[in-house]
Structures are given as structure tokens and as C-alpha cells.
Amino acid sequence: QVQLQQWGAGLLKPSETLSLTCAASGGSFRNYYWSWIRQSPGKGLEWLGDINHSGVTTYNPSLQSRITISIDVSKNHFSLQLTSVTAADTALYFCARVSHPESWYFDLWGRGTLVTVSS
Amino acid sequence: EIVLTQSPGTLSLSPGERATLSCRASQSVFSRYLGWYQQIPGQAPRLLIYGASTRATDIPDRFNGSGSGTDFTLTISRLEPEDFAVYYCQQYGSSPSFGQGTKLEIK
């Protein structure tokens, strides 16, 4: 059964860089897009961006200047970096698999990583 | 950016009753881009419906999605105790977005 396992630092200071990685175990890595989504009390569920196996990315315009999503197909990993974090970036961060092309949807989710930004 | 507005914010019903959840989009959404998710506290969202009306794997047939254009509906025909959760609609257009959620609580 395919699972997504995610990890990364959970406590950051303002201005630091958030870095998370997600690994897909089992199944085909190349046939999907891979996404990052966060959830906070104030903004609900927010899509951050996605990437395909070729490294083609699409980002939420509101984060365009701070976000980088990368992929390592050899390891079935993809990663999120968000620079210059502030308290507003405090959230539960999920990685997710995107099924396509007939319909597009998040069909598999990681368990989430709580990231807190505090001085 | 497409804004999804869900109603009601909270729905109080009893097990065995029928639940109707609404999702309205600020502009037309292709049905193949519309999904519904269930989130139980402490867990990640779980896909229920994709393509506006297709149940995901292992989702019971009491969950049904319908709608097109700007108006979509999730119906749960006979509520089971495990169905009380938060439900989100989501569109995967050029910039994916989620509704703010409907909390389904036990009356």
C-alpha cells in the first residue's frame, strides 16, 4: 500500500527557512504530480504548490517569491523550502499525491508536520 | 483565483438522517476538477469524491456528489457515527483552492 512519510524541522525562528521532505513508498512515482498543502486556523487549507517527475513546478502566487519545491525521482522524494518565515507560516504542513489527468485531485496525504514559527 | 464558499458552516444532525452540504464557486469550475474531502480531528483530509460525482476507492455508497458549473453538493444519505467530521470541497484549476469547510456535528 502506498504511503507518504514526511519529516522536517518543527520549530523555526522568524526569517529562517522551512524545509520539509516527503517520501512515497511503493507505487509509481512518475505517474503523478506531488503537492504541498498547509492548514492553519486562520487560513484553512491552503495549496502551496506542486511538482511533476520532470521537475516542472507550479506555485501559489501568494508564495511565489519564497517557495521552492524540488524532487528526487531516484529516491521517490520531494521537498519544500519556504524562506523568510514569519508567524503567519505557522501551520500543519501536508504532502499529497495528485492524481491526473482525467480528473485532478489529492488522492493520498501524508500525516502532516506541525511547523511553529516563534522567536 | 477561484473562491469556494461552503454552507452551512456547521450542520447539526442525528445518526440516520440525511446531510446536504453545499459548495459554491466564485466562477465556473470544470466538474473533473472538483473534489470533496473528509477530515477527522487529528488526521489528514481523506478523499471522498473526485470529478464532482465519482466516489473514491472504499468510500461507502451513502456518499454522493453532484453539481456543475458553480454549484456543487455532497449528500450523505444516512449518517453513521463515523461521518461526523469536517468536509471540504476543493477545485484543481490553475491555482487549486479549498472551501472553508462544513463541520458536521451530532445533534
Side-chain angles (χ1 to χ4, degrees), chain A residues 37-72:
Chain A
I37 296 158
R38 68 184 180 183
Q39 185 172 32
S40 61
K43 297 193 76 174
L45 287 162
E46 181 183 22
W47 171 79
L48 305 182
D50 57 37
I51 190 167
N52 70 5
H53 71 277
S54 299
V56 176
T57 55
T58 307
Y59 297 136
N60 187 318
S62 69
L63 299 169
Q64 188 82 34
S65 62
R66 299 196 292 131
I67 188 173
T68 301
I69 297 176
S70 58
I71 195 165
D72 185 339

Coordinates of all heavy atoms in Angstrom, one line a residue, chain A residues 37-72:
Chain A
I37 N 0.5 21.2 0.9 CA -0.7 21.9 1.4 C -0.5 22.2 2.8 O 0.1 21.4 3.6 CB -1.9 21.0 1.2 CG1 -2.1 20.7 -0.3 CG2 -3.1 21.6 1.8 CD1 -2.9 19.5 -0.6
R38 N -0.9 23.3 3.3 CA -0.8 23.6 4.7 C -2.2 24.0 5.3 O -3.1 24.4 4.5 CB 0.2 24.7 5.0 CG -0.2 26.1 4.5 CD 1.0 27.1 4.8 NE 0.7 28.4 4.4 CZ 1.5 29.4 4.5 NH1 2.8 29.2 5.0 NH2 1.2 30.6 4.0
Q39 N -2.3 23.9 6.6 CA -3.6 24.1 7.3 C -3.3 24.9 8.5 O -2.6 24.5 9.4 CB -4.3 22.8 7.6 CG -5.7 23.0 8.2 CD -6.4 21.6 8.3 OE1 -5.8 20.6 8.5 NE2 -7.7 21.7 8.1
S40 N -4.0 26.0 8.6 CA -3.9 26.9 9.8 C -5.3 27.3 10.2 O -6.2 27.4 9.4 CB -3.0 28.1 9.6 OG -3.5 28.9 8.5
P41 N -5.4 27.6 11.5 CA -6.8 28.1 12.0 C -7.3 29.3 11.2 O -8.4 29.4 10.9 CB -6.6 28.4 13.4 CG -5.4 27.5 13.8 CD -4.5 27.5 12.6
G42 N -6.3 30.2 10.9 CA -6.7 31.4 10.2 C -7.1 31.3 8.8 O -8.0 32.0 8.3
K43 N -6.3 30.5 8.0 CA -6.5 30.4 6.6 C -7.0 29.1 6.1 O -7.2 28.9 4.9 CB -5.1 30.7 5.9 CG -4.6 32.1 6.2 CD -3.4 32.5 5.3 CE -3.9 32.9 3.9 NZ -2.8 33.4 3.1
G44 N -7.3 28.2 6.9 CA -7.9 26.9 6.5 C -6.8 26.1 5.7 O -5.6 26.2 5.9
L45 N -7.3 25.3 4.7 CA -6.4 24.6 3.9 C -6.0 25.4 2.7 O -6.7 26.0 2.0 CB -7.2 23.3 3.3 CG -7.4 22.2 4.3 CD1 -8.5 21.3 3.8 CD2 -6.1 21.4 4.6
E46 N -4.6 25.5 2.5 CA -4.0 26.3 1.5 C -3.1 25.5 0.7 O -2.1 24.9 1.2 CB -3.3 27.5 2.2 CG -2.6 28.5 1.2 CD -1.9 29.6 1.9 OE1 -1.5 29.4 3.1 OE2 -1.6 30.6 1.3
W47 N -3.3 25.4 -0.6 CA -2.4 24.8 -1.5 C -1.1 25.6 -1.7 O -1.3 26.8 -2.0 CB -3.1 24.6 -2.9 CG -2.2 24.1 -4.0 CD1 -1.8 22.8 -4.2 CD2 -1.7 24.9 -5.0 NE1 -1.0 22.8 -5.3 CE2 -0.9 24.0 -5.9 CE3 -1.8 26.2 -5.4 CZ2 -0.3 24.5 -7.0 CZ3 -1.1 26.7 -6.5 CH2 -0.4 25.8 -7.3
L48 N 0.0 25.0 -1.6 CA 1.3 25.8 -1.7 C 1.9 25.6 -3.1 O 2.5 26.6 -3.6 CB 2.3 25.3 -0.6 CG 1.8 25.3 0.8 CD1 2.9 24.9 1.7 CD2 1.3 26.7 1.2
G49 N 1.8 24.5 -3.7 CA 2.5 24.2 -5.0 C 2.5 22.8 -5.3 O 2.3 21.9 -4.4
D50 N 2.9 22.5 -6.5 CA 3.1 21.1 -6.9 C 4.3 20.9 -7.9 O 4.8 21.9 -8.4 CB 1.8 20.4 -7.4 CG 1.2 21.2 -8.6 OD1 2.0 21.7 -9.5 OD2 0.0 21.2 -8.7
I51 N 4.6 19.7 -8.1 CA 5.8 19.4 -9.0 C 5.5 18.0 -9.6 O 4.9 17.1 -9.1 CB 7.1 19.3 -8.2 CG1 8.3 19.3 -9.1 CG2 7.1 18.2 -7.1 CD1 9.6 19.6 -8.3
N52 N 6.0 17.9 -10.9 CA 5.9 16.5 -11.5 C 7.3 15.9 -11.5 O 8.3 16.4 -11.1 CB 5.3 16.6 -12.9 CG 6.2 17.3 -13.9 OD1 7.3 17.7 -13.6 ND2 5.6 17.5 -15.1
H53 N 7.4 14.7 -12.1 CA 8.6 13.9 -12.1 C 9.7 14.6 -12.9 O 10.9 14.3 -12.7 CB 8.4 12.5 -12.6 CG 8.1 12.4 -14.1 ND1 6.9 12.6 -14.6 CD2 9.0 12.2 -15.1 CE1 7.0 12.5 -15.9 NE2 8.3 12.2 -16.2
S54 N 9.3 15.5 -13.8 CA 10.3 16.2 -14.6 C 10.8 17.5 -13.9 O 11.7 18.1 -14.5 CB 9.8 16.6 -16.0 OG 9.4 15.4 -16.7
G55 N 10.3 17.8 -12.8 CA 10.7 19.0 -12.0 C 9.9 20.2 -12.4 O 10.3 21.3 -12.0
V56 N 8.8 20.0 -13.2 CA 8.0 21.2 -13.5 C 7.2 21.6 -12.3 O 6.4 20.8 -11.8 CB 7.1 20.9 -14.8 CG1 6.2 22.1 -15.0 CG2 8.0 20.6 -16.0
T57 N 7.3 22.8 -11.9 CA 6.6 23.3 -10.7 C 5.5 24.3 -11.0 O 5.6 25.1 -12.0 CB 7.6 23.9 -9.7 OG1 8.3 25.0 -10.4 CG2 8.5 22.9 -9.2
T58 N 4.5 24.4 -10.2 CA 3.5 25.4 -10.1 C 3.3 25.8 -8.7 O 3.2 25.0 -7.8 CB 2.1 25.0 -10.7 OG1 2.3 24.4 -12.0 CG2 1.2 26.1 -10.8
Y59 N 3.4 27.1 -8.4 CA 3.3 27.6 -7.1 C 2.1 28.5 -6.9 O 1.6 29.2 -7.8 CB 4.6 28.5 -6.8 CG 5.9 27.7 -6.8 CD1 7.0 28.2 -7.4 CD2 6.0 26.4 -6.2 CE1 8.2 27.5 -7.4 CE2 7.2 25.7 -6.3 CZ 8.3 26.3 -6.9 OH 9.4 25.6 -6.9
N60 N 1.7 28.6 -5.6 CA 0.6 29.5 -5.2 C 1.2 30.9 -5.4 O 2.3 31.2 -4.9 CB 0.3 29.3 -3.7 CG -0.9 30.1 -3.3 OD1 -1.0 31.3 -3.6 ND2 -1.8 29.5 -2.5
P61 N 0.5 31.8 -6.2 CA 1.1 33.1 -6.4 C 1.4 33.9 -5.2 O 2.4 34.7 -5.2 CB 0.0 33.8 -7.2 CG -0.8 32.7 -7.9 CD -0.7 31.6 -6.9
S62 N 0.7 33.7 -4.1 CA 1.0 34.4 -2.9 C 2.3 34.1 -2.2 O 2.8 34.8 -1.4 CB -0.2 34.2 -1.9 OG -0.1 32.8 -1.4
L63 N 2.9 32.9 -2.6 CA 4.2 32.5 -2.1 C 5.3 32.4 -3.1 O 6.4 32.0 -2.7 CB 4.0 31.1 -1.5 CG 3.0 30.9 -0.4 CD1 2.7 29.5 -0.1 CD2 3.4 31.6 0.9
Q64 N 5.0 32.9 -4.3 CA 5.9 32.7 -5.4 C 7.4 33.1 -5.1 O 8.3 32.4 -5.5 CB 5.4 33.5 -6.6 CG 6.1 33.3 -7.9 CD 5.6 32.1 -8.6 OE1 4.5 31.8 -8.6 NE2 6.5 31.4 -9.3
S65 N 7.5 34.2 -4.4 CA 8.9 34.7 -4.1 C 9.7 33.9 -3.0 O 10.9 34.1 -2.9 CB 8.8 36.2 -3.7 OG 8.1 36.3 -2.5
R66 N 9.0 33.1 -2.3 CA 9.6 32.4 -1.1 C 9.7 30.9 -1.2 O 10.3 30.3 -0.4 CB 8.9 32.8 0.2 CG 8.9 34.3 0.5 CD 8.5 34.5 2.0 NE 7.1 34.1 2.2 CZ 6.7 33.4 3.2 NH1 7.6 32.8 4.0 NH2 5.4 33.1 3.4
I67 N 9.0 30.3 -2.2 CA 8.8 28.9 -2.1 C 9.6 28.2 -3.2 O 9.8 28.7 -4.3 CB 7.3 28.5 -2.3 CG1 7.1 27.0 -2.1 CG2 6.8 29.0 -3.7 CD1 5.6 26.6 -2.1
T68 N 10.2 27.0 -2.9 CA 10.8 26.2 -3.8 C 10.4 24.7 -3.5 O 10.5 24.3 -2.4 CB 12.3 26.2 -3.8 OG1 12.8 27.6 -4.0 CG2 13.0 25.3 -4.8
I69 N 9.9 24.0 -4.5 CA 9.6 22.6 -4.4 C 10.5 21.9 -5.4 O 10.7 22.3 -6.5 CB 8.1 22.3 -4.8 CG1 7.2 23.0 -3.7 CG2 7.9 20.8 -4.7 CD1 5.7 22.8 -4.0
S70 N 11.2 20.9 -4.9 CA 12.1 20.1 -5.7 C 11.8 18.6 -5.6 O 11.0 18.2 -4.7 CB 13.5 20.4 -5.2 OG 13.7 20.0 -3.8
I71 N 12.4 17.8 -6.4 CA 12.1 16.4 -6.5 C 13.3 15.6 -6.7 O 14.2 16.1 -7.5 CB 11.0 16.1 -7.6 CG1 10.4 14.7 -7.4 CG2 11.6 16.3 -9.0 CD1 9.1 14.5 -8.2
D72 N 13.4 14.4 -6.1 CA 14.5 13.5 -6.4 C 13.8 12.1 -6.8 O 13.4 11.4 -5.9 CB 15.4 13.3 -5.1 CG 16.6 12.5 -5.4 OD1 16.6 11.6 -6.3 OD2 17.6 12.6 -4.6

